[in-house]
Structure formats: C-alpha cells, structure tokens
Amino acid sequence: MTPAPSTLHRQTIANLLKLPLPHIDARDLGRVYAAPLDVHVAEETVVEPDFAFISKERFAIVEIETHQKCTGSRCRSHLTCNRRT
C-alpha cells in the first residue's frame, strides 16, 4: 500500500483549494473533487490528482461508484473521471 501524503503536502493542498472555491461556488461553475479519484487520461493511463475541477458542462464524465472501498477501519467512496466521454 502506498503511504499517505505528508502533513505538509495535505496542508498545501487544503490551502490551494481555499483560493478557487469561493469563486466556483458563487458562480455555480462546477465542482471540485479531492483525492481519491481516478482520472482516465488515455485508454491505459489512469492518474490520481490531489484535486480536480469539473465544470458543469463536463459533469457527464464523472462516475460516482455507490459502493465504498474499505481498508481496515477506513472506508472511502470511489470517484472516477473518464476523460474519454
């Protein structure tokens, strides 16, 4: 299993998300998703960014799986962004 990102990394991401969220929310431009999420950028290429903005016009690329993946006592929902759609 890959270790979790460092505390500094997670705090940096949280600080970065503070900047665009008020603008996105006030104008109802779309949604911001934080990791974990899989982004399919090519047929055989999947990346997991720290966060991704999906505009309202592109909501169709988001597939939210209804089941949760559990590891030990940690459960998380799984989100996939399929660029090919």
Side-chain angles (χ1 to χ4, degrees), residues 31-33 36-38 54 59-69 76-82:
R31 295 185 187 135
V32 175
Y33 295 97
L37 72 150
D38 294 331
I54 309 297
F59 279 168
I61 69 171
V62 177
E63 300 170 15
I64 300 174
E65 296 180 15
T66 56
H67 70 281
Q68 290 188 330
K69 294 183 177 183
R76 64 186 190 187
S77 296
H78 185 74
L79 174 90
T80 299
C81 295
N82 188 343

Side-chain angles (χ1 to χ4, degrees), residues 39-47 82 84:
V39 177
H40 296 256
V41 294
E43 189 67 36
E44 299 290 325
T45 306
V46 179
V47 296
N82 188 343
R84 293 171 282 160

Side-chain angles (χ1 to χ4, degrees), residues 8-21 51:
L8 177 60
H9 178 89
R10 288 181 287 187
Q11 187 59 55
T12 301
I13 296 306
N15 288 339
L16 284 172
L17 286 173
K18 288 179 190 177
L19 298 173
L21 284 177
F51 61 92

